[in-house]
Amino acid sequence: MKKEIFILALFLLVKSSFGQEFTNLYGDYLGQTPPGDTPEVFARGIVSDTLLQHSTIAISPDGNEVFWWSFYYGKQTKYFAKRMRRIDNRWTVPGLSAFLGEPLFSVDGKKLYFSSLQGPQYVERQETGWSEPKSLGIIEHFPEIKMVEFRSVTQNGTLYFNGYAEGYKFNMAIYRSELVDGQYTKPELLPSQINIPVDGMLNQTPYIAPDESYLIYCSRSFTPIDDQGDLYICFRNSDGSWADRIKLDESINTKGMERYPSVSPDGKYFFFNRHDPVYEEDIYWVSASFINRLREKIMGE
């Protein structure tokens, strides 16, 4: 009898991991009520659960698939790549994904980027699922970069990411690399409006708009010590230069750490991760309308 119960439990776990068990959630965004101008925890108890969420939410352009990354912090830290799918407008329960690290969809939804022990990789969508993983090739061609973390991608494949940069906090800063004929070009370090050259300043987790018109990222000064990191936005000028950065307001930034920003594929919602002083880490969402309001105020558009 115990053996039968064990086999049944294992069967249910495997089904759940492959997305065959369904929840009572229907509709877009897991059936969650959309937020207004005040950030709210996204899908509390489903996505933002008892684990620590260590990324933003990656949403496919058709709205039928979501990925995120969680971990358990204790005597032994354990990471979990999570996934949910919508089939016939009904969402599966959260299951495990084979794609570790911060998940990221390409703008057209045909690629999913993620981390691995072999470095940054991606898979391509096929009729039967996802392809075998492929390397981005950046570290192989430019070994001095050493790492490609917290990445974001434009509609033409230009990649923004954290890479090795000597002299910056933790030897890490934000880079940009264009995709030309299927290969990434030599990464360029973003200018001082973004990579603030101040001792102790950490700049990380960039999100680039699909049209490359603005960048949102986390900047952390380590002083005061009770403010762990805030989100800033930089708009790009018509000549390709960057305007001075703007700190997002207090409805988004708190004394905790706000990072891993992203905007939903339809442009309606802004997602980010908040790590608060009592060591909770959840994914939040809010109306993305503030971005256009800031653009009009700063750029006069």
Side-chain angles (χ1 to χ4, degrees), residues 56-67:
T56 187
I57 191 88
I59 304 171
S60 62
D62 62 10
N64 290 331
E65 208 165 5
V66 295
F67 288 83

Side-chain angles (χ1 to χ4, degrees), residues 43-271:
R44 187 185 293 277
I46 303 164
V47 172
S48 296
D49 57 14
T50 54
L51 295 174
L52 301 175
Q53 317 317 315
H54 204 53
S55 70
T56 187
I57 191 88
I59 304 171
S60 62
D62 62 10
N64 290 331
E65 208 165 5
V66 295
F67 288 83
W68 72 99
W69 197 28
S70 301
F71 76 99
Y72 168 77
Y73 184 79
K75 291 183 178 179
Q76 183 177 4
T77 301
K78 296 181 179 180
Y79 290 91
F80 303 90
K82 307 292 282 294
R83 174 196 187 195
M84 293 177 70
R85 298 174 60 214
R86 181 168 59 173
I87 301 173
D88 296 329
N89 203 37
R90 187 178 178 188
W91 287 93
T92 62
V93 299
L96 298 179
S97 165
F99 310 132
L100 300 178
E102 312 91 17
L104 169 70
F105 276 104
S106 60
V107 175
D108 61 11
K110 294 181 180 180
K111 293 181 180 178
L112 178 72
Y113 302 87
F114 62 98
S115 301
S116 74
L117 295 176
Q118 290 73 41
Q121 297 187 326
Y122 68 94
V123 289
E124 295 179 300
R125 194 182 293 279
Q126 300 176 336
E127 290 185 3
T128 56
W130 295 101
S131 70
E132 291 297 314
K134 303 177 182 180
S135 173
L136 287 181
I138 295 181
I139 296 177
E140 292 90 332
H141 290 98
F142 308 103
E144 67 275 13
I145 289 296
K146 297 185 180 180
M147 62 180 179
V148 175
E149 295 182 354
F150 314 133
R151 58 206 164 278
S152 181
V153 67
T154 69
Q155 58 193 7
N156 61 7
T158 296
L159 196 71
Y160 283 68
F161 64 94
N162 277 114
Y164 180 84
E166 188 172 351
Y168 288 85
K169 187 67 177 180
F170 300 143
N171 290 324
M172 184 172 69
I174 301 175
Y175 284 87
R176 175 182 183 271
S177 178
E178 295 183 356
L179 185 65
V180 178
D181 297 329
Q183 298 290 331
Y184 279 101
T185 59
K186 182 177 177 62
E188 57 179 289
L189 193 66
L190 294 188
S192 59
Q193 293 96 323
I194 295 165
N195 287 313
I196 305 296
V198 175
D199 183 46
M201 183 73 74
L202 175 63
N203 306 293
Q204 61 175 344
T205 66
Y207 167 78
I208 187 66
D211 62 359
E212 216 167 351
S213 61
Y214 64 85
L215 178 77
I216 304 178
Y217 66 106
C218 171
S219 189
R220 182 182 181 188
S221 66
F222 291 82
T223 55
I225 59 174
D226 62 346
D227 194 345
Q228 301 177 35
D230 293 316
L231 292 173
Y232 291 78
I233 187 168
C234 284
F235 291 101
R236 202 172 190 204
N237 299 311
S238 57
D239 63 0
S241 64
W242 293 93
D244 291 336
R245 70 181 192 168
I246 306 164
K247 185 177 179 179
L248 301 188
D249 67 31
E250 293 179 357
S251 68
I252 292 175
N253 287 318
T254 67
K255 289 188 176 181
M257 180 187 290
E258 284 75 32
R259 55 182 174 171
Y260 298 113
S262 67
V263 174
S264 58
D266 58 15
K268 293 181 179 180
Y269 307 108
F270 177 65
F271 288 83

